[in-house]
Structures are given as structure tokens and as C-alpha cells.
Amino acid sequence: MGTFVMMRAGWLSDLTDWIKEQIQRVWEAFEAFVMDMVIYALEQGLELVALAFEALPVPSFLTNYSVGSLLANAGPEIGWAVQTFKIGECCAMFAAALAFRISRKILTFGKW
């Protein structure tokens, strides 16, 4: 009689373990699906922002000018200062920091 009870408990625990594994697999699949949807929504939102920036026209008063043409008439002193103080690299670092700050504000909705 004791052996019968042990066998009955064995198959019942096997069945409940199998059901538990199936529920865990379904939950993991659901988590992966939700994460993929979040990533997809974020990707679409960022593409929308990029599309909005690309749609902005260049102002007409800036189309005929470039930094090189503006600094060409400034003289050799300005060229020396720009090259010595690495103004181009400084502007690039400033632009990267500004882009990071703006993207951080957008992604956290201004909370951080």
C-alpha cells in the first residue's frame, strides 16, 4: 500500500513540475515579447524624430556660406589660433555633449 502512494505522488509531482515549466516558458516568452515591443516602439519613435529633423529646411541665408569661406578672409592669425587651440575638435566635443544631453532629456521625458 505504501508503494502505491509513493508512485502516485511521483507522477503527480512530475505532472506539476511539467506544468510549472510550461508556465515559466510562457512567461519568459511573454517577457521577451514585451521587451521586443518596447525596443520596436523606441526605434519607431527615434526614426520619427530623425524624420522630423531631416524635414527641416536649411535656412536660405546659410546656403552660400561655410566656415572655411568665412575664416578665409580673417587672416593668418585666426588660422593659427584655430589650429593651435583645436577649435574644430572643441566644437565637435561640445556638439556631442549637447546631443547626449538632449537625447537624455527626450528619453527620460525631462526627469533626469
Side-chain angles (χ1 to χ4, degrees):
M1 181 84 168
T3 309
F4 178 71
V5 173
M6 292 299 289
M7 286 180 20
R8 187 171 180 97
W11 72 264
L12 186 58
S13 64
D14 290 343
L15 178 64
T16 55
D17 288 343
W18 180 79
I19 291 172
K20 179 181 152 187
E21 289 175 9
Q22 297 307 315
I23 290 172
Q24 286 176 342
R25 288 181 184 167
V26 167
W27 181 255
E28 289 170 1
F30 178 71
E31 284 179 338
F33 174 74
V34 169
M35 287 301 295
D36 288 345
M37 289 303 293
V38 168
I39 291 171
Y40 178 75
L42 183 63
E43 179 184 5
Q44 293 300 316
L46 292 176
E47 284 183 11
L48 182 64
V49 170
L51 182 65
F53 278 119
E54 290 172 1
L56 292 174
V58 176
S60 61
F61 64 89
L62 292 178
T63 55
N64 297 328
Y65 296 108
S66 69
V67 175
S69 67
L70 291 174
L71 293 177
N73 297 329
E77 294 84 9
I78 298 298
W80 173 85
V82 167
Q83 197 164 20
T84 301
F85 297 121
K86 307 265 187 221
I87 301 296
E89 289 86 351
C90 292
C91 289
M93 289 298 290
F94 181 73
L98 189 61
F100 173 75
R101 180 184 164 99
I102 290 172
S103 63
R104 183 184 69 186
K105 291 290 185 182
I106 290 171
L107 292 176
T108 60
F109 303 111
K111 299 276 183 190
W112 186 59

